[in-house]
Amino acid sequence: MTRPLLAVLALLLLSCGGPPPVAVTTSSPGFDDYEPVDWPGRAPDDHAVHGIDLSRYQGQVDWPRVRAAGVSFAFIKATEGGDRLDPAFRDHWDGAAEAGVARGAYHFFYWCGPPEEQAEWFIRHVPRDRGALPPVLDLEYTPFSPTCTRRLPPAEVRARARAFIDTVADHYGQRPVIYTTPEFWEENGIARLGEEVWLRSTARHVSEAYPGHPWTFWQYSGTGIVPGIAGPVDLNAFNGSAGTWLAWLAARGG
């Protein structure tokens, strides 16, 4: 799909009441990596649409430079457990929007607190902005947490995740995306939740780490180099063409 046609599609989305125009990169982004992987088969660079995820650890971000480097979307850490807010969330949230980078917020789940309480904490701090990406529920083990290192039975893991997802979906009007890791995915049967997924796999191709399962986003690096961000940042690819990305935004727009 050509760049002029993509621009027309973006304007149509706006005129039809969809999300405002956002950055779309259709060629290899201007990223590098501190620890590059020699990917077999289809490499991340073969995907048309790329993004980042970040938190307070990335510090101040020059969002116009980030967009110019080829970042089409950003998932931004908002909350953790039932009482922790990332102090950089609001700056990242507003900065991404002003630069035209599609952005969504994610919640890091703790296994020692009620899921409904965590959902309400997320809702309290994340705006229900028009055009925002779906909320994200980050499901993984927390072995280094100073307060919560529990490992629950898989059925209980899924039940707690479902309770969070349902509460958040009711508020934002769209189902959250699940982010997880290969170990957590396999041991807890996360596929059984039937939700759209964002999958981490930084050493193996995502199709090898999660064989046979469809995915929307692939986190392929935790050591990315992106102009406008000091230090390493996570890199992600969207599973589809630039045209598919615009269609997904239109269908998923809050």
Side-chain angles (χ1 to χ4, degrees), residues 15 49 51 71-72 95 113 126 130 143 149 152 155 162 179 191 198 204 222-223 225 233 243 248:
S15 65
V49 180
V71 170
S72 295
V126 176
R130 173 175 168 267
T149 58
L152 302 174
R162 174 66 68 205
Y179 168 91
W198 166 24
R204 296 181 292 164
T223 54
I225 303 172
V233 65
W248 187 87

Side-chain angles (χ1 to χ4, degrees), residues 29-36 52 65-66 69 71 220-235:
F31 305 161
D32 206 336
D33 204 314
Y34 289 106
E35 300 178 16
I52 58 174
R65 284 189 69 199
V66 166
V71 170
Y220 60 85
S221 175
T223 54
I225 303 172
V226 175
I229 300 176
V233 65
D234 295 336
L235 303 178

Side-chain angles (χ1 to χ4, degrees), residues 31 50-59 61 63 66 71-78 86 88-89 92 96 101-108 133-134 136 138 140 179-181 198-202 217-226 229-237:
F31 305 161
H50 292 255
I52 58 174
D53 62 276
L54 72 168
S55 68
R56 65 187 176 95
Y57 294 109
Q58 275 66 48
V61 173
W63 285 101
V66 166
V71 170
S72 295
F73 62 88
F75 287 115
I76 301 166
K77 184 175 183 181
D86 190 296
F89 169 68
H92 290 331
V101 175
R103 81 280 196 253
Y106 74 88
H107 174 81
F108 188 84
L133 300 179
V136 172
D138 183 340
E140 51 190 296
Y179 168 91
T180 195
T181 65
W198 166 24
L199 302 175
R200 175 178 176 84
S201 186
T202 58
F217 298 98
W218 169 23
Q219 186 186 80
Y220 60 85
S221 175
T223 54
I225 303 172
V226 175
I229 300 176
V233 65
D234 295 336
L235 303 178
N236 302 273

Side-chain angles (χ1 to χ4, degrees), residues 152-160 188:
L152 302 174
E156 188 171 353
V157 166
R158 294 193 300 272
R160 291 190 179 211
N188 294 284

